[in-house]
Amino acid sequence: MSQHYEKHADEIVKGFVDMLDQEVRDCLDEESLQRLSMMIESAISTAVLSQLEKVADEIAGLSKQVSRRAEHYDAGDQAA
């Protein structure tokens, strides 16, 4: 998945550079563009991981809820 983020970050940098005037592009070296790409990739990864953590918390909550309901269902089933 990281390669996907890296490719996306590279595309963002390319799009950014394409918007710049030629004289500004000439001032940018490859190392600076690679650092910008790595920063963008890091931001993408952080955002994705944050959302995955929220989803994992929601799934854990739903799991607990299902377990509680199953316990109540079993208890009610035994009383009959």
Side-chain angles (χ1 to χ4, degrees), residues 16-77:
F16 172 72
V17 170
D18 288 347
M19 293 180 353
L20 300 174
D21 293 333
Q22 185 62 46
E23 60 191 40
V24 176
R25 285 187 222 169
D26 292 341
C27 296
L28 297 172
D29 62 347
E30 189 61 33
E31 182 181 346
S32 296
L33 295 175
Q34 287 176 349
R35 284 188 297 185
L36 177 58
S37 182
M38 286 186 341
M39 290 169 56
I40 293 169
E41 182 184 353
S42 176
I44 292 169
S45 295
T46 299
V48 169
L49 289 174
S50 175
Q51 291 303 309
L52 284 175
E53 186 176 330
K54 288 179 183 179
V55 170
D57 290 345
E58 289 177 16
I59 290 171
L62 289 171
S63 175
K64 288 178 185 176
Q65 187 178 33
V66 168
S67 292
R68 282 193 303 268
R69 287 184 180 176
E71 289 172 6
H72 288 4
Y73 178 79
D74 286 343
D77 199 25

